[in-house]
Amino acid sequence: MIRVGVIGYGYWGPNIVRNLRSLECAQLASICDTNPASLRRAKKAYPDVPVTSDPDELLCSTDIDAVAVITPVWTHFELAKAALENGKHVFVEKPFASSSAQGEELIELAEKSGLKIMVDHTFLFTGAVRKIRQLLDEDTLGKLYYYDSTRVNLGLFQHDVNVIWDLAPHDLSIVDYLIGGRPDVIVATGEAHFNGLTDVAFITAYYPGNIIAHINVNWLSPLKVRTTLIGGERKMLVWNDLEADEKIKVYDKGVHMTTREGVYDLLVSYRSGDMWSPKVEATEALKVELGYFVECIENDLTPFNDGMAGLRVVRMLQAAEESLKRKGEAVYA
Ligand SMILES: NC(=O)c1ccc[n+]([C@@H]2O[C@H](COP(=O)([O-])OP(=O)(O)OC[C@H]3O[C@@H](n4cnc5c(N)ncnc54)[C@H](O)[C@@H]3O)[C@@H](O)[C@H]2O)c1
């Protein structure tokens, strides 16, 4: 039984706590939040679980094996570092850290101490992303051409990070998982309209093999949209995460180009065949992910969403931030 303490019971923390509680292989050992109102909510929801406003109490406890850090981004490094220094495995929210240097330091510390780091890249555990990965692994889509995601809604404005650091980690972790490797170049543009933090942004990542990923993140959209197009040589796919039933639709559509001897113009033909919607598992991603965290600790496995995966995403975020500052100049990632 792995005993887990949770730091941070704001917006996302309750989801972590609820899912930890539902696991048989884990024990929710303690909840910590510096905000008294959050602590009161935790106490009311889980009267049998010890709560504290002092993170050190939880970090130094000998009754805890792992710590979940569900606090704002700028606190991740300090809390995760303290947890590792106290011999605890760490589950840390996305984005892993505020800089790649911080991420590297945490990874080194965990390696030295034989401890696990898992970064909460929740979407990798959804039925939809697992199905898309399966379709790619089985070569159903053929050679990948592009990933094009729209992740927009009205708010929630963050106080410490811009829309890139808030929303793009989802897509960058998905792209990292589906495409793999490292983009050659990242370009980002965007604008801030209120408090100096960018609230609308467009990120493009150029991968080897002519694969292009485009991510549109926006806190100023009248509508909530969570739609991703993925184009391959053989099939094209639309993933609408807001759809209850048919989240993924695979289209047997494509383009075929030929040149004939003596004919200098390209001959373009379009294929328009069937569409089908594959079955997508409906299990709660966080439950699967937290179960996997415990499994990795118990069986000494390296999670695929480990510190290195978190670091790759942070490096892409940094490159995007740098390009944004230079009005869309190409940054070599
Ligand atoms: N994986 C996802 O889909 C997902 C979704 C939302 C948020 N998140 C991530 O979760 C993290 C938290 O986001 P949120 O929206 O819940 O923020 P929030 O501000 O609503 O909650 C954070 C909580 O942490 C507490 N806190 C801050 N510093 C602390 C400290 N040093 N010790 C103890 N408690 C402390 C605050 O009092 C607050 O209650 C962020 O990294 C965010 O990116 C992930």
Side-chain angles (χ1 to χ4, degrees):
M1 179 73 73
I2 301 294
R3 299 161 301 176
V4 188
V6 178
I7 307 183
Y9 196 81
Y11 164 71
W12 194 242
N15 294 321
I16 302 292
V17 166
R18 175 173 52 78
N19 280 287
L20 271 175
R21 268 289 265 231
S22 72
L23 293 176
E24 279 174 16
C25 51
Q27 185 200 332
L28 175 63
S30 174
I31 301 172
C32 167
D33 201 299
T34 44
N35 179 341
S38 299
L39 264 198
R40 274 197 300 278
R41 269 194 299 130
K43 190 80 211 156
K44 195 166 174 210
Y46 304 95
D48 57 318
V49 177
V51 297
T52 173
S53 59
D54 179 7
D56 284 339
E57 211 178 287
L58 192 150
L59 291 164
C60 301
S61 165
T62 49
D63 299 327
I64 286 176
D65 308 301
V67 172
V69 178
I70 322 296
T71 51
V73 184
W74 60 273
T75 64
H76 290 181
F77 173 70
E78 199 187 320
L79 291 169
K81 187 174 174 203
L84 292 167
E85 282 171 346
N86 282 286
K88 318 267 187 265
H89 304 282
V90 173
F91 179 91
V92 60
E93 262 317 314
K94 63 81 192 162
F96 180 29
S98 301
S99 70
S100 53
Q102 289 183 348
E104 283 158 12
E105 194 176 328
L106 293 177
I107 291 169
E108 203 184 311
L109 194 56
E111 272 170 8
K112 258 197 254 158
S113 329
L115 295 164
K116 307 287 173 203
I117 295 178
M118 181 177 280
V119 180
D120 183 12
H121 290 163
T122 324
F123 274 95
L124 308 190
F125 294 85
T126 57
V129 172
R130 286 191 293 160
K131 177 57 72 177
I132 295 169
R133 172 70 188 252
Q134 185 192 332
L135 292 170
L136 286 169
D137 287 348
E138 292 168 358
D139 209 22
T140 306
L141 302 188
K143 181 189 156 8
L144 203 59
Y145 289 153
Y146 65 84
Y147 173 102
D148 185 9
S149 162
T150 305
R151 189 175 296 278
V152 305
N153 43 259
L154 197 60
L156 304 163
F157 273 77
Q158 303 293 314
H159 305 290
D160 57 331
V161 288
N162 64 19
V163 73
I164 291 184
W165 286 78
D166 181 37
L167 294 182
H170 294 307
D171 289 294
L172 294 175
S173 65
I174 295 168
V175 162
D176 178 66
Y177 181 62
L178 296 180
I179 300 177
R182 185 175 171 163
D184 293 328
V185 169
I186 290 196
V187 168
T189 51
E191 203 51 87
H193 300 92
F194 297 100
N195 54 0
L197 290 178
T198 303
D199 42 42
V200 177
F202 309 99
I203 305 166
T204 308
Y206 295 86
Y207 280 83
N210 295 356
I211 303 174
I212 188 164
H214 180 254
I215 298 164
N216 170 357
V217 282
N218 184 343
W219 284 332
L220 288 182
S221 159
L223 290 181
K224 178 168 180 170
V225 183
R226 296 283 185 272
T227 303
T228 303
L229 302 174
I230 299 178
E233 191 176 6
R234 289 203 196 127
K235 303 274 188 291
M236 294 172 176
L237 171 159
V238 181
W239 163 30
N240 181 353
D241 205 45
L242 302 183
E243 277 276 345
D245 297 324
E246 299 183 339
K247 279 191 190 296
I248 296 177
K249 289 181 178 152
V250 183
Y251 292 82
D252 183 12
K253 291 194 180 194
V255 179
H256 189 61
M257 302 251 183
T258 43
T259 46
R260 263 197 328 228
E261 226 178 306
V263 178
Y264 296 105
D265 289 341
L266 272 180
L267 298 173
V268 185
S269 57
Y270 299 97
R271 192 182 67 255
S272 188
D274 292 342
M275 180 279 286
W276 81 95
S277 181
K279 185 172 158 44
V280 167
E281 289 295 331
T283 42
E284 189 167 353
L286 267 183
K287 184 169 180 181
V288 179
E289 186 177 16
L290 289 163
Y292 176 54
F293 178 53
V294 172
E295 186 193 331
C296 288
I297 295 172
E298 282 178 336
N299 301 315
D300 194 17
L301 305 171
T302 303
F304 65 84
N305 54 330
D306 63 352
M308 282 309 297
L311 179 60
R312 289 194 295 275
V313 169
V314 169
R315 284 187 176 137
M316 289 193 264
L317 290 168
Q318 270 183 182
E321 186 77 41
E322 209 178 309
S323 174
L324 182 83
K325 278 191 197 132
R326 295 195 252 137
K327 293 273 180 221
E329 257 180 52
V331 171
Y332 294 85

